[in-house]
Amino acid sequence: MKITKLGEFEELVLLTVAALQQEAYGVEIKRELESRLGEKLSVGSIQSALKRMEEKGFLTSEFGEATAKRGGKRKRIYATTSYARKVLAEMREVRAGLWEAIPQLSHDLKTI
């Protein structure tokens, strides 16, 4: 079985979109990732990753409603595709198998 590989940052952005669901728009994705990673990220790096993944078929996007809070601007809301969810599941299996294959680490994790 051939596994589609994602870059580390792309995988994190894709997982964040999947977790945020209806709230998966640029600023909220950035906020969630910064919170989880404990570091500042540029809006540009996130927007670039989102655009790349949309072009590759991992994401779809649509504009939400314009709001006064945003000065009448609409936010672009992202969603994962079935292809993306399949790839994320495959990546999870690969990672879990590799973690289990590390002898001492596997033993240590089971005793926690």
Side-chain angles (χ1 to χ4, degrees):
M1 164 172 90
K2 184 180 180 211
I3 302 289
T4 300
K5 293 175 273 315
L6 293 169
E8 178 186 12
F9 189 68
E10 284 182 335
E11 185 177 358
L12 289 170
V13 171
L14 197 56
L15 284 165
T16 303
V17 170
L20 291 173
Q21 297 182 14
Q22 300 302 100
E23 295 298 315
Y25 59 95
V27 173
E28 192 57 35
I29 294 167
K30 179 181 183 294
R31 187 177 298 131
E32 183 71 20
L33 278 170
E34 287 178 342
S35 171
R36 291 183 181 269
L37 297 174
E39 64 182 80
K40 291 287 183 195
L41 300 169
S42 73
V43 173
S45 67
I46 292 168
Q47 293 296 342
S48 293
L50 290 166
K51 183 178 179 183
R52 268 193 320 273
M53 288 189 291
E54 193 167 14
E55 289 170 354
K56 292 178 182 180
F58 292 114
L59 295 173
T60 59
S61 69
E62 61 184 39
F63 284 105
E65 295 297 318
T67 62
K69 181 179 178 182
R70 295 178 49 84
K73 289 184 175 182
R74 301 184 314 163
K75 53 187 161 189
R76 184 180 289 269
I77 301 169
Y78 292 88
T80 56
T81 62
S82 58
Y83 174 55
R85 292 186 293 277
K86 176 181 175 279
V87 169
L88 285 173
E90 289 172 351
M91 294 297 295
R92 183 178 186 175
E93 284 183 39
V94 168
R95 289 180 186 276
L98 287 168
W99 280 103
E100 285 295 319
I102 302 171
Q104 185 58 42
L105 200 59
S106 176
H107 172 74
D108 291 347
L109 290 174
K110 289 178 183 173
T111 60
I112 294 178

